[in-house]
């Protein structure tokens, strides 16, 4: 139900996922769920722009089992779907 987009990377152990919506506050909401997430905000040197649109999250998968990936991704998607998690 989310307008999610990504491209399969040519290499590496992570993908950047365009969530199609604001991810401001998502990292903090997920920390409460014991899920660590990197967001575009951490990689952007222009963090102080008031009109910046942050929609990207970085999903790393190098050191996780398939079960862990599914569990973590389920929590991330639930948080993205929930307006309460982002407010």
């Amino acid at each position: 139900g989310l307008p999610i987009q990504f491209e399969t990377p040519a290499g590496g152990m992570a993908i950047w996922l365009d969530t199609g919506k604001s991810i401001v506050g998502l990292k903090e909401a997920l920390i409460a769920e014991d899920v660590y997430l990197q967001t575009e905000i951490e990689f952007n040197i222009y963090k102080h722009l008031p009109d910046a649109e942050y929609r990207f999250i970085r999903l790393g998968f190098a050191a996780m089992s398939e079960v862990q990936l599914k569990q973590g991704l389920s929590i991330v998607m639930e948080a993205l779907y929930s307006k309460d998690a982002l407010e």
Side-chain angles (χ1 to χ4, degrees):
L2 294 171
I4 292 173
Q5 296 181 18
F6 70 94
E7 293 182 25
T8 303
M13 301 305 284
I15 62 170
W16 283 98
L17 183 85
D18 181 352
T19 66
K21 62 189 291 184
S22 173
I23 51 87
V24 174
L26 179 63
K27 181 177 183 123
E28 293 77 11
L30 290 172
I31 286 173
E33 300 290 328
D34 291 327
V35 174
Y36 175 74
L37 182 75
Q38 289 182 304
T39 67
E40 169 185 13
I41 297 166
E42 296 165 72
F43 292 85
N44 190 335
I45 62 172
Y46 302 109
K47 293 177 188 173
H48 304 292
L49 295 177
D51 59 344
E53 183 178 312
Y54 299 109
R55 301 185 334 231
F56 289 85
I57 58 176
R58 185 175 186 267
L59 299 175
F61 49 86
M64 301 181 84
S65 70
E66 185 176 344
V67 170
Q68 290 172 314
L69 285 169
K70 287 180 180 180
Q71 288 173 338
L73 198 51
S74 174
I75 295 169
V76 170
M77 292 300 116
E78 185 176 325
L80 276 170
Y81 238 147
S82 170
K83 289 179 93 174
D84 295 334
L86 297 177
E87 296 177 342

